[in-house]
Structures are given as structure tokens and as C-alpha cells.
Amino acid sequence: MKIAIILLKTFEQEKVVGKVDKILENYDNFVLVEITDNQIRSLENEGIKVVVKNEIENIQLINKNINTTKPRHVKKGAIKSHLAYEHTIDPGPDIHHYLVQFIGPIKEEWKEEIKKLGGTFSDPYPSYSYIVEMDEKSREKINELSFVRWVGHYDYSFRFSPGLLEEIEKKVPTHARISSTHSLEPEQISKPFGSIPSTFSVSFYSTENLKDALPKIKGLGGQIIGEYNNKITISIPEKDLVKNLKNISKIHGVKLIDTVKIRQLHNNIATRIMCNHDLDSALNLSLTGINEIIGVADTGIDSGDAATIHEDFKGRIIGIKSWPISPEFNSNILNPGDDDGPADKWSGHGTHVTGSALGNGQKSNGIFRGLATEASLFFQAMEQLTYWNFDFVKWYRRKYGTNPDTYALTGIPTDLKVLFQEAYDAGVKIHTNSWGGGDFGAYDIQSEDVDRFVWDHKDMVILFAAGNSGIDANRDGRIDFMSITPPATAKNCISVGASENMREELEYIYRNKFPVDPIASDKLADNPDDIAAFSSRGPCMDGRFKPDVVAPGTYIISTRSSKSKLEGWDLLPKTDPNRDHYMYMGGTSMATPLTAGAVALIRQFLRQEGLSPSASLIKAALIHTTVRKPYRYSAVTSASSLWDAEQGWGHVNIEPFIADVNGFKMDFIDGGDLVTGELKEYFFDVSNPSIPFRVTLAYTDYPGNSIINNINLIVTTPNGKDYYGNQASPPYDSAFDSSNNVETVYISEPIPGQYKVTALASDVSVGPKDFSLVISGGVVSGIGEISGTIVDSSNTPVEGAKVSVDSGQNVLTDADGRYKFTEVPGGEHSVTAFKSNCECACIKVNVLENEVALANIELNCLTGNVIEIEETPAKKIPDKDPAGITRTMTVDATGHVKNIEVSVDITHTYIGDLIVTLVSPQGTSIDLHHRVGGGQENIIKTYSTTHELGKLTGESIKGKWRLKVADLVGQDVGKLNRWSLRIIPA
């Protein structure tokens, strides 16, 4: 027996009645069923699409995969052990955190039912599951709900990052390093990823959990070093360390315990390669990154003073900040809290990185330059001169076989959101980071920080270097998979690997780190199609696709710090006048800022197209235009692939943004919000079969290991053939991708005709969810018009009616009742018309390129009086108080309700805490909002008779109308700014 969804709209779903074993749940555009293989074949023979949901059998945690094909708790709540829980004991009757898996895509009413039974929702998890806080009585009731598939205690062992306990007493061998016939210094490519002994980051599900845990942690000998939102950094004595960590994991509310890591750096022609440009000709780009601000967080920036800065940056500095040594290092250093300023005194890494992103080549007369030559810079210096104490140096030598860096990235804050917020507040929308480190493929606390910041700031693009940990451990002459390091494992960032540059004149080769040919004797920069051997490979531990893209990362020449004496990979010849101002470096560190420069040009392009691009639209555009190239020494065996672990989606290519390609066109869509079961459809006409038709979907996912929200891409050809996102081989529609928040469809030889592009919300656990699409091909349609006339029931034109379309445009009708929208994206749209004394009306239309979609609307306008009253109390809502506030407005008129609208304007930082209730004069109580929306902010909405308020039809309008707003959970606060009533009497 299988669990599957059948793609049918609501009115079609009766087609499967009697043809499946069991209908589990109906949604707007699909139905969830239990089904056999024979039934699947029978339905598919009828032309009905069936998608099997194998992912429901497992829940992927950060350090464990739980098989849920067997129940954890049988009926009546009794414990039943199985392989996933052999070690588990009954947690007891107190309040605990449990994993609750639903039967399929999660509905809000299911969550509401669990809340009514005493459950409190915390974090969503993959495979239709949530962490729910509840006691034994609630657990027994919740376990018997028909829509709950599986319940299990969130075991204490799940609360450690992968391998943490095993690693504490394990000696880690020194990482192999690159050298060459020209004696490259080892630290120029890779250093061991060190952690701080006996120092850990502990995250909690809530602030209340954290506060309650502090005395218990102190009782176990823990010292609190720092506190950041729902995280703390602690130091624990080495004696009985493992025992005390296990005891801490048993404290109620602990979500994850992780080590505190010392993050490492991920150390002209390259820009031409990225532009698909002739290597011997001058590079004159139509895009320059003007009015873009790039944030760089790295070692330091040249002199650290905007007045004396390297000439390639002068006049474009928005700000330079230096971050002092973070408190988590205090117990291992002699200079806690020191700040040696923003100058780039040691490696020159930060200066070099910045030049690749936005250097304008001023000092070299334009010879050595980055991509975004007119972008501005906000720099955050994080490398600090760090005096490690003797005990730490001894421990580090014993564990890693080398000394810790004296100049180290000890300024990186524990909570990365603080770093990003400083940049965002300065106007940064592109933030590049050439550092990282940790367990290969792991999703750690800082990965979650990245995802949460982008989730909360959906216009901020964050880039991270994939890492320089590529290795041929089995000595087969090919680089092994899964060596990418966090935070580049974050879902919502752009993760960048390194390809080779093109400098054949240089003789440097791989040797010690890669002792087996063909890589051992390969030059580091002789073929731009090749992937750098050191570049970290994907995928992530949970199977997600990373890296996203690759860009040149070997022998990159860029700006040199005037304060540094080091020479990077190499200096220019002694006779070159630029020798003191530029140098060669390499690594994914160099590929990442080059990509950040490309992102700045893409963002400028989209702004010039009249868009306010989201981070997901920019990511989709970057990935959409990549070029896949034949890597000579690839370990990938699949002949057909849209993504692979070496080059990701492909090599960065900005040519489509800077040059016209005959017959080729791109369309860009930032799509509206979707909830589970909803979809958006767009239509495109393709007439040139010689140009591939490609669609890329991307969205910003909720923070957490693996995919939480799942939006799937479907492309339907003119002959009815479906292509599902990320299906690279026939039949192309066998399964949805439930692992990635980027999906693409590539049709190399499209047949002419109309293509339908569908974004389907298969599961939105935390929403509503927006998404982005990029579409390209030969003569691709996408922009059309909507026009029409608004009349009343007597066919008289209505002047001054407000007409809006869901693409975000609004107009007023003229004296003849006419209106028009131009530049409307292709696809289905809702058009709404409204005027005072008239009932609101809405219709749907399909928009095609260069065509006018007619949307004539008839309004039911009344001759009697419309009652409109409003109050603006600006009243604070008491925090964690079920009584809340109640506001009253009185209607003196007589009559009965025909139509009613209630508008509310509430500012609040977590609307999932709120209940908003309207009470009529006759005592009818209606919940307008009941603890939905989670961490979204503010309720600014109008509720109407056609939806929530239908039961008020026919009631007396005279008397006191009351609005009650209650906040049931602590911490987040807000106020009722305004509320209004608009009543149309019968």
C-alpha cells in the first residue's frame, strides 16, 4: 500500500471514488489517498496523474533518519518500541516535546484541533511533521486523531549535532593540503576545522524554555558565556563532560547542542569567463552594479580607513565596521574582547575578496577589476589578533597536529543574524561570505541562522563559499562527494564552488593533497570547464543539492592589502608596476565574491526591468542562466543531469543579462502567496524549437534541517506531456522533488505551442508561501493586458470604482466605467472591483502575451444607506492575557444585515499568538483570526460576508458591536491600531 496524491481539482476529485483503497483528505488541487500499484496503473491509463509520496515513511532529523512505518505510540498512548527507538524509555506524564507526523500535507484546521487538545506547536520538521509540546493526557488524545500518522518523543539523543559526543575525545588527523611544484604555502588552501574545547552552543524551542533551563545548566557546572534570542553559549568543565552534556540534553526545551567552531577562510580573466566573453578582448559591461550595496564579511579591508583605502574602492564606501573577539572564546584566550580594528593586516584575504566583487581597476588602469565596478561597499571585519592560552594551544596541537592561527576569525558573532542585520540596516541587499567550516554536509546552528535571516528578510541575498575540503580519500583519481561545509549548507543562501581559471602560463599543479593522477599532475588553472579539485562537493547530509553554482576560483588576481606582507598564491612579476597593489589567490573564497558581483549585476538588471526582486528571484535567475560544462575528471556517472555534486546547477554565466541573444527571451515572476493545495498557473507561447525552453522555480524556505515547505514545479507541453521539476530523465513525471527549494525543467527541443507552467503548493507547513519563477526560450510569452468595464445591475457605467489585480496593480474607472492594466504577467489572475455602496465583486481571467484579457464586472450597487463606522484606538494588546482587550462601536440605525465587512489593522510581531473575535449585538461570536500564521507579523485584513461573516446575514444591525483581541503567549507584543465596520442593510 502506498500514500500518494492525485492531481485533480476539487470538482474533479469524485473521479477517483471507488478507484483507490482510501481517500485520506481532499485539497483544492489534489486528493491524498492510500493506493495500490494496480490502482495507480489503472488511473494513469485514464490520464489521471498520481504522485507517490515515499518521503512520508521517514523523518530526516539533523542527526538521524526515523522510520515511521511502525507506530511509536499505539492507541491509548501505550509505548511500543521499534528499531528507531530501541534505546528509548517512557518519558513520563510531564510536559515534553514530541514529534507529531500528519497523514499528509498539513492543514491549518488540524493544527487548531491539536491546540484545542493542549498541544503547543514549536518547529516544523520534514515529512509533514511538527515538534509539539504536550503532556501525557494530551498525547493520548492527539495520538487518536484521524489525521495524525505517528507520534514519538523527541529523544534526548536527537539533540546533539552529528558526531558531537564521539568527537569530543577523538583525535582528528590534520587535513591534507595542496602543494605544487612552486611550493604553495599549505594554509593558502585548507586548514583544519577547529572547535573550542568544552564550549557549546545550546538552542531552545522558546525563550521560556531557555530561562527555565539556566539554573539547571549552572547546577551541572555550566558557565553561561552569552545569550542570543533562543540560544546560549556555555562552557563546561572537562571532567565528566559527556555525562553533563547528556544531562543538559534532558532539560526540557533543549533543541540542539553543537560545538563552537573556529570558522576558516575559504581561500580580469575570471570575469570574462563568467560573461562567456572572448578572453583576449576588452570587457565593457552594460551593467555595473550601480546603486547596489554589497556587504562583505571577511578578515579586514586594506588600511581600514575610507580616506586611505585602496584606490579600487575609493568613493564607494558606505561603512566599515570591526567586530571584536566574540565572548565564546574568552576561556581559551589571553585578550578577551579585543578589537584590533578593520585593517587587513595578515593574509590580505578580505581585501582580495572585495576586489573580486566590486573593484573597479582604478589602480591598474582598468586591467584588474571585479564585476560590479560601480557598486558600493559595506565591510565587516571579523579577523582578530587572538592570543590563545597555553592550554588551548596544547589541546589544539594534540588534536589537529598544528598550531591555531594567531590571526583568526574570532570576531564572527555566535548569532549570525546580528551580523546580517547590521549590514541590512546599512542598505545591503547582497552579502558575501568566504568562510565556514564544520562537519561535511551538516546543517548546523549557523546554517539555521542564515535561513532564518533570509526568511525574515526576503530581499536579502546571502552567499557562502562551499569550502576547500575536496579530497580523493579512496585514491581513485576522482574527488569524493559530500565535503561541503556549513553555513554553505543553508537552504536559502547561494552556495558557491570553484571552477578553474584560465592561466596556462602558470605551472602550478596539484600534488600532495591529490597524489593520484590524473589530478596529481593537472595544472590548477588550465581549463575553465574543470572543477577545482579542492572545491567542496555536495550533496548535503539530508540529500539536498549543494553547491548551487561554481565560478572561477584558481589563480584569481585581485586587490592586495597595503598592510599585509603575505603574498597570497603569488605576486605579479617584479617588473610589473601593479605588484604592490594586486596578487593571486585561490579557493572557493575567490569564486564567491565573483558570484556576488554577478548577483549585483543581475539585481541591477531586474530593477531596470521595473521589479523589486526577492532573494529567491535573484537566486532563480542566477541558477537559470548557468552553463553546464564537461569536467574532464568528473566522478558523476549519470549521463543526464540538471544538477551534480561537483558543479551544482552549473557555471555562473551572466551573458543573458548583458547581451541580446537572437530569439531568446526571459520572463521573471515573483509569485503571490500559496497555502497547501493551492496553485498558480502561467501560460507561454513558444514558436522557436531551436532554443531550449527552461523554467526555474525557487523559494525561501522556513529555517530547519531539510525542506519544510514544498512547492513543486510542473511544466505541461502543448501535447499534454508533464515535466516535473528536477526530473532529468524519462518519463520526467515520475515523482515530485521534496528535498530542494530550487527546481528546474529543461526541454532541449520544445515543440511549438502554448506551455503551461504550474507552481503547486504540495505542502506549506508555515505560510502562506511566496515563490519565484524564471522562464526562458524562443519567443516566450509572459506579459499581456487586462481591460474591461465596470457597470451596475442596470448596465450603467460605474465611475470611480477601484479595480485591482492580484499582480499588485490598482486603478480607478473613468467616466465610462472603463479601466486598463498593462504589464500583467501571463497566467491566471483575479480582478476585483469595489465602490462604496456597492458589493465587492471578483472574476478570474487568463492573460497571454500581447493579448488583452477582457474582464467586465457587474457590481450590485444599493440605493439605500451604507453604514460605515471606524475606531482608531491605538491600544496595546496585553501580553499573555486571555482577557485581552475589547473595543465597542454602536450602530443606531435599524434594519438587518445583508452584507458586512470588518477591517482590522493590528501590528504584532507573532500573529500566531492572537485570537481576534467579532461579537454582534445579538451575541453571535465569530473568530476572525485564531492563532494561525505563526511568526508572521501584523494583521491588516478585511473580512466579509462571503467568507467568515456569512452567519451574520439577517441579524439586526442595531446595537453594540464588539471586537476582542487576545494574546495567549508571552514575549511578542502588539496593538490594535484601527478597526471598522461596513454594513449594507437588507
Side-chain angles (χ1 to χ4, degrees), residues 721-795:
K721 169 65 179 172
D722 282 340
Y723 287 75
Y724 295 167
N726 296 349
Q727 296 296 302
S729 56
Y732 303 109
D733 62 350
S734 58
F736 284 160
D737 186 336
S738 59
S739 301
N740 296 285
N741 59 336
V742 176
E743 295 189 15
T744 192
V745 166
Y746 183 88
I747 303 174
S748 59
E749 297 179 354
I751 61 174
Q754 187 180 85
Y755 286 72
K756 180 172 71 173
V757 175
T758 303
L760 172 66
S762 296
D763 181 37
V764 178
S765 297
V766 186
K769 189 73 212 73
D770 52 354
F771 62 92
S772 302
L773 287 168
V774 179
I775 305 96
S776 68
V779 192
V780 182
S781 67
I783 302 298
E785 297 182 357
I786 300 175
S787 69
T789 304
I790 309 301
V791 299
D792 63 17
S793 55
S794 64
N795 206 33

Side-chain angles (χ1 to χ4, degrees), residues 110-130:
W110 296 350
K111 293 163 67 175
E112 292 304 314
E113 184 65 23
I114 285 178
K115 291 174 186 176
K116 291 176 183 176
L117 294 175
T120 300
F121 281 83
S122 294
D123 286 1
Y125 272 65
S127 303
Y128 319 120
S129 58
Y130 254 96

Side-chain angles (χ1 to χ4, degrees), residues 762-914:
S762 296
D763 181 37
V764 178
S765 297
V766 186
K769 189 73 212 73
D770 52 354
F771 62 92
S772 302
L773 287 168
V774 179
I775 305 96
S776 68
V779 192
V780 182
S781 67
I783 302 298
E785 297 182 357
I786 300 175
S787 69
T789 304
I790 309 301
V791 299
D792 63 17
S793 55
S794 64
N795 206 33
T796 301
V798 178
E799 181 182 3
K802 181 180 179 181
V803 187
S804 60
V805 64
D806 58 9
S807 59
Q809 297 164 281
N810 298 281
V811 295
L812 295 176
T813 55
D814 63 17
D816 295 319
R818 292 178 301 196
Y819 71 94
K820 184 177 183 179
F821 296 110
T822 60
E823 300 294 314
V824 180
E828 185 179 74
H829 291 281
S830 296
V831 181
T832 303
F834 168 80
K835 189 176 182 183
S836 181
N837 292 340
C838 301
E839 297 179 17
C840 183
C842 177
I843 65 170
K844 292 183 179 293
V845 293
N846 280 321
V847 176
L848 300 177
E849 179 168 23
N850 297 328
E851 293 187 13
V852 179
L854 292 177
N856 296 322
I857 301 176
E858 180 180 310
L859 293 178
N860 182 17
C861 299
L862 306 174
T863 56
N865 291 326
V866 175
I867 299 163
E868 293 181 302
I869 54 176
E870 177 180 317
E871 185 193 29
T872 54
K875 186 79 172 177
K876 288 185 178 179
I877 305 165
D879 194 27
K880 201 175 181 181
D881 181 359
I885 59 171
T886 300
R887 305 297 301 179
T888 301
M889 292 194 294
T890 302
V891 175
D892 294 324
T894 58
H896 297 86
V897 174
K898 179 179 181 181
N899 287 293
I900 183 170
E901 292 178 355
V902 180
S903 297
V904 297
D905 181 342
I906 297 170
T907 51
H908 198 277
T909 53
Y910 197 99
I911 66 173
D913 294 352
L914 299 180

Side-chain angles (χ1 to χ4, degrees), residues 12 58 64 147 192 319 343 351 405 432 478 492 657 675 789 796 846 858:
E12 301 174 301
N58 297 279
K64 190 175 184 67
F147 50 78
T351 306
D405 289 330
T432 185
R478 299 292 185 269
N492 298 333
F657 302 98
V675 299
T789 304
T796 301
N846 280 321
E858 180 180 310

Side-chain angles (χ1 to χ4, degrees), residues 23 85 258 702 737 929:
I23 294 177
Y85 278 87
D258 198 359
Y702 189 82
D737 186 336
H929 177 94

Side-chain angles (χ1 to χ4, degrees), residues 655-673:
E655 183 183 20
F657 302 98
I658 59 174
D660 291 330
V661 180
N662 188 35
F664 176 85
K665 181 180 177 183
M666 288 192 293
D667 282 331
F668 306 90
I669 298 171
D670 258 337
D673 292 341

Side-chain angles (χ1 to χ4, degrees), residues 55-340:
E55 68 270 15
I56 200 168
E57 297 179 355
N58 297 279
I59 302 176
Q60 179 68 55
L61 304 181
I62 199 166
N63 65 355
K64 190 175 184 67
N65 186 35
I66 299 177
N67 183 308
T68 64
T69 56
K70 299 179 182 180
R72 167 64 183 132
H73 292 291
V74 296
K75 297 299 181 184
K76 309 302 181 186
I79 296 294
K80 181 178 180 180
S81 184
H82 61 86
L83 290 178
Y85 278 87
E86 285 179 341
H87 57 283
T88 302
I89 60 172
D90 190 336
D94 296 332
I95 294 176
H96 295 280
H97 285 98
Y98 292 84
L99 268 170
V100 175
Q101 186 184 41
F102 295 88
I103 59 173
I106 301 168
K107 289 191 166 184
E108 283 299 317
E109 52 260 42
W110 296 350
K111 293 163 67 175
E112 292 304 314
E113 184 65 23
I114 285 178
K115 291 174 186 176
K116 291 176 183 176
L117 294 175
T120 300
F121 281 83
S122 294
D123 286 1
Y125 272 65
S127 303
Y128 319 120
S129 58
Y130 254 96
I131 291 289
V132 180
E133 188 180 42
M134 53 187 164
D135 60 18
E136 186 177 47
K137 289 183 178 180
S138 295
R139 186 193 73 198
E140 291 175 0
K141 295 175 184 176
I142 290 169
N143 193 55
E144 295 181 1
L145 294 171
S146 61
F147 50 78
V148 170
R149 167 184 165 88
W150 184 93
V151 178
H153 177 241
Y154 195 71
D155 195 78
Y156 309 124
S157 65
F158 301 165
R159 306 176 189 195
F160 292 99
S161 62
L164 182 148
L165 296 178
E166 296 84 351
E167 196 70 21
I168 288 175
E169 297 177 344
K170 177 182 175 184
K171 179 177 174 63
V172 180
T174 305
H175 281 44
R177 306 182 182 97
I178 289 180
S179 66
S180 76
T181 54
H182 283 231
S183 302
L184 283 169
E185 291 298 319
E187 55 268 21
Q188 290 170 352
I189 281 289
S190 182
K191 290 281 286 185
F193 298 126
S195 58
I196 304 298
S198 305
T199 306
F200 303 90
S201 178
V202 185
S203 60
F204 295 83
Y205 285 110
S206 69
T207 304
E208 290 87 347
N209 290 157
L210 186 155
K211 297 298 184 186
D212 292 342
L214 291 179
K216 299 173 184 178
I217 291 173
K218 292 175 181 176
L220 292 169
Q223 178 186 352
I224 312 302
I225 298 174
E227 182 178 331
Y228 321 87
N229 297 320
N230 290 343
K231 291 189 296 188
I232 57 173
T233 305
I234 62 173
S235 178
I236 305 176
E238 196 163 342
K239 182 180 179 182
D240 297 326
L241 179 58
V242 171
K243 177 182 176 182
N244 285 329
L245 283 174
K246 288 182 177 180
N247 286 331
I248 289 173
S249 76
K250 296 176 183 178
I251 295 174
H252 181 66
V254 169
K255 176 181 173 182
L256 183 67
I257 302 173
D258 198 359
T259 55
V260 173
K261 301 173 181 68
I262 308 173
R263 305 290 183 175
Q264 302 291 340
L265 299 171
H266 288 330
N267 291 350
N268 101 23
I269 288 179
T271 59
R272 290 184 173 88
I273 291 171
M274 296 168 72
C275 299
N276 199 19
H277 196 279
D278 182 353
L279 299 184
D280 296 321
S281 61
L283 185 64
N284 296 305
L285 301 184
S286 57
L287 300 171
T288 61
I290 191 167
N291 295 325
E292 300 295 340
I293 304 174
I294 299 177
V296 180
D298 212 282
T299 56
I301 178 71
D302 192 43
S303 66
D305 183 351
T308 60
I309 204 81
H310 195 294
E311 285 187 30
D312 285 15
F313 313 132
K314 267 191 176 178
R316 294 182 291 138
I317 307 296
I318 296 297
I320 299 175
K321 302 290 183 180
S322 181
W323 284 71
I325 297 176
S326 191
E328 61 259 35
F329 297 100
N330 286 358
S331 59
N332 296 284
I333 62 176
L334 303 175
N335 58 330
D338 270 12
D339 183 350
D340 64 4

